[in-house]
Amino acid sequence: MNMSDPHSDHVHPTMAPAISDSHGDHMTPPDTGHGDHMMMMQMTFYFGYKNVELLFAGLVINTPGEMVGACIGVFLLAVFYEGLKIGREFLLRRNQVNVRYNSMPVPGADGTVLMETHKTVGQRMLSLAHFLQTFLHIIQVVVSYFLMLVFMTYNGYLCIAVAAGAGLGYFLFSWKKAVVVDITEHCH
């Protein structure tokens, strides 16, 4: 231990070199002699199934079967996330109160005056619908961060599962979503 540097005996896991085997599987760094057995974070995309830490310290994938199970779970979580987003929009539309329509004149292309109508919707803060929306929003935020963290493992199989699940979820739930097209918008 160097007395001039009181922190010289501390080993930072980010300073140890990451080791990958020939399959690109995520492996632990060499033992530093300090009892630090932390896994290194992979910083490039790879396709492996050994020692892949998934969201929690004790949840480590080590076999092809575990990777398949994890991919199915992540896929279903991404589908659920897309359904939750659309479900919240549906509930919001269903529970709308205080609907007002405001019309305002807008100059037309040939000098005519067109009337543009805007729909203003309000919702009560202390209502069961708003509490439900708040609870569902919290779930949506947590699930979205879980999916982001799964993607940040850089494991190709898990990243594909996130993307495929989001794609299928969008396909299943968003086809009936109302799309508003503003004909005066020129930046498409």
Side-chain angles (χ1 to χ4, degrees), residues 102-156:
N102 299 323
S103 295
M104 56 190 301
V106 176
D110 57 356
T112 60
V113 176
L114 303 173
M115 293 302 285
E116 188 175 273
T117 303
H118 297 274
K119 181 179 178 181
T120 305
V121 178
Q123 186 174 354
R124 291 187 181 95
M125 186 171 134
L126 298 176
S127 67
L128 182 60
H130 186 62
F131 285 121
L132 179 61
Q133 280 289 341
T134 302
F135 177 72
L136 292 175
H137 176 74
I138 292 168
I139 292 173
Q140 182 179 338
V141 168
V142 169
V143 170
S144 69
Y145 279 121
F146 278 179
L147 291 171
M148 177 196 66
L149 289 171
V150 168
F151 208 91
M152 287 177 60
T153 65
Y154 291 101
N155 183 285

Side-chain angles (χ1 to χ4, degrees), residues 67-85 139 143-144 146-147 150 157-170 172-173:
M67 179 57 78
V68 168
C71 286
I72 290 170
V74 166
F75 177 86
L76 293 174
L77 188 64
V79 170
F80 170 74
Y81 174 73
E82 291 296 325
L84 181 60
K85 287 192 318 185
I139 292 173
V143 170
S144 69
F146 278 179
L147 291 171
V150 168
Y157 300 122
L158 294 172
C159 292
I160 290 169
V162 169
L168 180 65
Y170 182 85
L172 292 176
F173 300 114

